[in-house]
């Protein structure tokens, strides 16, 4: 069900919104969540999102940027509140409660923006996805809400493995792992439009001819393809990277000519048909260079490493960004487990940067190279507390680089979630 923007009187109507027939009928009883009744006009009008007055949480934090403006979305694990914050010049502004779902949300949010649309998605207790959205520019306190419903007969059962992409023409794609072991996508031309449901990957042979051996596929209960989904749009083309939990492979799907094609990026070793594969592909992150080359950063579980892959002449070339080895205070070599929550950006000069989590030291890490073929330099970005969960970053030429992550801090008899916000150079 879509909650419509205000209609009638002197209230402005967004270009992306529509108006229901006789919006005041039944008011105030029929006003949807996020709306209140104008008694005199008998019209449901938007209610400003309530202000969030506590320290900002960092659970499942996401960051988005558009035209010099920054937004974060995160979950307060104490009560499940979804908090959206607009940030200007590194300072907090208007932290608001987008929603307080009945489902205990402690794992995943998705957020993306185009020049005219900012959207946040989460999983409802019904197994359907909810969408909060607003037009740009506009009032940060005024949002609209949509339950993403598939066409009749095309039901779905969502999981916490999902991500959201907004294309340059403001269409939306929510790619997710269904409970039936497949990867699927919900698509709409506008947030208040009709949604269609498509199959992205059922675990079969990919378009590049790679097959997961029968002795691995379909033998792990509740496994399948579609874990740790990362969705991205380049113009109007859609991409999704995800982990195949049966085979331990990293897969990439792309949508063109109204169909999805699939390729295997990394199997954990060089033998794509072997049943003795490694495990590679958790926490994938997609980015594009100026020429449109697709690149990914991800975690190699078998080696405890951070990896990078770029498509060259139709094939993916992989390299190690951080092997996880370091010298401790006693001049001994130590192996850390690195690469979880990887997030990749590429610049117009061929440079690349990844933020990620060091699970051994519980630090937020940063790796960078200046051009294709150059060596990676690595540094610790934040080391105070257990920090680096859900790491995310954005780069804008006129604004700079911004990194967000979750830090867990001791509080009472347990830990509290805290948002870490880092601006380049600070």
């Amino acid at each position: 069900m879509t909650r419509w923007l205000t209609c009638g009187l002197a209230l402005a109507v967004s270009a992306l919104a529509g108006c229901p027939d006789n919006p005041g009928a039944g008011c105030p009883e029929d006003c949807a969540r996020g709306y209140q009744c104008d008694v005199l006009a008998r019209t449901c009008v938007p209610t400003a999102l309530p202000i969030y007055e506590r320290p900002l949480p960092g659970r499942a934090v996401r960051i988005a940027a558009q035209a010099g403006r920054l937004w974060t979305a995160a979950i307060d694990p104490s009560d499940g509140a979804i908090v959206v914050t607009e940030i200007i010049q590194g300072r907090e502004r208007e932290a608001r409660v987008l929603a307080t779902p009945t489902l205990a949300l402690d794992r995943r949010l998705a957020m993306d923006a185009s020049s005219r649309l900012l959207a946040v998605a989460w999983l409802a207790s019904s197994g359907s996805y909810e969408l909060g959205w607003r037009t740009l520019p506009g009032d940060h306190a005024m949002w609209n809400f949509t339950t993403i419903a598939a066409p009749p007969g095309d039901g779905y059962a969502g999981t916490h493995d999902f991500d959201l992409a907004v294309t340059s023409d403001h269409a939306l794609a929510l790619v997710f792992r269904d409970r039936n072991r497949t990867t699927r996508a919900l698509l709409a031309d506008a947030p208040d439009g009709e949604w269609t449901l498509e199959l992205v990957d059922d675990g079969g042979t990919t378009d590049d001819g790679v097959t997961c051996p029968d002795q691995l596929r379909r033998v792990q209960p509740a496994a399948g393809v579609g874990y740790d989904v990362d969705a991205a749009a380049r113009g109007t083309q859609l991409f999704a990277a995800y982990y195949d939990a049966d085979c331990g492979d990293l897969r990439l799907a792309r949508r063109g000519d109204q169909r999805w094609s699939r390729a295997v990026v990394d199997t954990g070793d060089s033998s794509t048909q072997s049943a003795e594969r490694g495990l590679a592909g958790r926490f994938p992150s997609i980015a594009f260079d100026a020429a449109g080359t697709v690149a990914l950063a991800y975690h190699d579980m078998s080696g405890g490493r951070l990896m990078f892959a770029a498509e060259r002449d139709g094939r993916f070339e992989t390299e190690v960004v951080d092997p996880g080895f370091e010298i401790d205070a006693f001049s001994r070599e130590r192996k850390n487990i690195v690469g979880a929550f990887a997030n990749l950006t590429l610049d117009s000069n061929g440079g690349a940067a990844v933020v990620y989590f060091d699970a051994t030291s519980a630090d937020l890490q940063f790796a960078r190279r200046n051009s294709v073929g150059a060596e990676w330099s690595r540094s610790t970005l934040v080391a105070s507390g257990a920090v680096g969960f859900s790491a995310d970053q954005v780069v804008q030429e006129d604004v700079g680089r911004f990194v967000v992550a979750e830090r867990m801090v001791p509080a009472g008899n347990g830990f509290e979630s805290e948002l870490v916000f880092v601006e380049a150079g600070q």
Side-chain angles (χ1 to χ4, degrees):
M1 170 181 175
T2 300
R3 285 77 163 177
W4 297 89
L5 281 171
T6 303
C7 306
L9 297 181
L11 296 170
V13 180
S14 165
L16 290 178
C19 295
D21 295 333
N22 194 14
C27 179
E29 292 82 5
D30 292 344
C31 289
R33 175 173 60 87
Y35 291 74
Q36 64 185 10
C37 183
D38 182 325
V39 178
L40 294 179
R42 294 190 58 79
T43 299
C44 294
V45 299
T47 301
L49 299 180
I51 295 174
Y52 184 84
E53 298 179 337
R54 288 173 282 175
L56 291 179
R59 183 63 48 84
V61 64
R62 298 288 87 189
I63 187 168
Q66 190 60 233
R69 303 174 71 181
L70 292 169
W71 300 270
T72 65
I75 299 168
D76 183 339
S78 67
D79 61 5
I82 299 173
V83 183
V84 290
T85 306
E86 183 169 4
I87 298 174
I88 295 181
Q89 296 180 345
R91 296 193 175 185
E92 173 188 336
R93 178 192 178 194
E94 291 191 358
R96 303 240 173 205
V97 178
L98 181 63
T100 305
T102 57
L103 185 67
L105 289 175
D106 61 356
R107 294 183 58 186
R108 186 85 175 191
L109 282 179
M111 179 166 66
D112 200 13
S114 69
S115 61
R116 288 170 43 198
L117 179 67
L118 175 66
V120 178
W122 61 93
L123 180 65
S125 57
S126 63
S128 298
Y129 293 102
E130 295 280 333
L131 188 74
W133 57 277
R134 50 166 292 213
T135 55
L136 300 177
D139 188 342
H140 178 62
M142 302 300 182
W143 286 67
N144 309 273
F145 299 91
T146 299
T147 297
I148 303 178
D154 290 334
Y156 69 90
T159 67
H160 281 289
D161 292 290
F162 68 94
D163 200 21
L164 179 71
V166 180
T167 66
S168 59
D169 59 356
H170 323 298
L172 300 98
L174 193 148
V175 184
F176 67 101
R177 177 177 62 86
D178 200 299
R179 294 177 192 170
N180 64 1
R181 303 170 55 96
T182 63
T183 308
R184 309 178 86 180
L186 288 154
L187 309 173
D189 292 333
D192 56 352
E194 296 294 328
W195 292 82
T196 60
L197 184 64
E198 295 184 350
L199 176 66
V200 177
D201 194 343
D202 63 0
T205 302
T206 57
D207 292 68
D208 56 356
V210 180
T211 301
C212 183
D214 291 340
Q215 60 265 46
L216 295 179
R217 183 70 74 201
R218 311 290 183 188
V219 297
Q220 302 183 57
V225 294
Y227 287 79
D228 296 336
V229 177
D230 183 60
R234 184 176 188 273
T236 59
Q237 189 174 12
L238 294 168
F239 296 78
Y242 46 92
Y243 178 60
D244 178 350
D246 292 340
C247 259
D249 297 344
L250 172 60
R251 290 191 171 208
L252 177 71
R254 67 192 88 195
R255 188 178 189 271
D257 298 326
Q258 298 186 338
R259 66 174 295 270
W260 291 91
S261 60
R262 295 154 296 275
V264 171
V265 177
D266 193 348
T267 65
D269 65 16
S270 59
S271 177
T272 60
Q273 305 301 333
S274 171
E276 304 299 326
R277 286 171 162 139
L279 304 175
R282 293 293 308 271
F283 307 103
S285 174
I286 304 171
F288 310 95
D289 66 14
T293 301
V294 184
L296 303 99
Y298 56 98
H299 176 49
D300 174 359
M301 296 81 77
S302 294
R305 307 177 296 179
L306 173 66
M307 302 292 294
F308 174 86
E311 190 173 31
R312 312 287 182 197
D313 299 321
R315 300 187 63 181
F316 284 93
E317 299 175 359
T318 64
E319 58 187 279
V320 178
V321 176
D322 187 346
F325 291 104
E326 65 175 30
I327 303 300
D328 67 16
F330 302 98
S331 298
R332 297 174 303 193
E333 188 175 64
R334 183 177 74 169
K335 176 67 176 78
N336 288 9
I337 305 302
V338 299
F341 304 109
N343 188 272
L344 171 69
T345 62
L346 301 178
D347 62 33
S348 57
N349 299 318
V354 189
V355 290
Y356 58 102
F357 182 55
D358 182 331
T360 303
S361 61
D363 294 338
L364 177 61
Q365 300 290 318
F366 182 74
R368 183 179 180 86
R369 71 175 190 191
N370 294 324
S371 60
V372 176
E375 291 190 4
W376 292 88
S377 62
R378 299 181 296 274
S379 61
T380 299
L381 196 60
V382 182
S384 56
V387 59
F389 307 99
S390 302
D392 197 10
Q393 64 174 330
V394 292
V395 178
Q396 287 194 311
E397 291 185 2
D398 55 342
V399 176
R401 184 183 305 276
F402 298 87
V403 177
V404 292
E406 180 186 26
R407 172 164 46 205
M408 300 302 296
V409 294
N413 295 324
F415 291 86
E416 287 185 353
S417 172
E418 180 179 275
L419 175 66
V420 173
F421 180 89
V422 183
E423 183 176 356
Q426 299 185 15

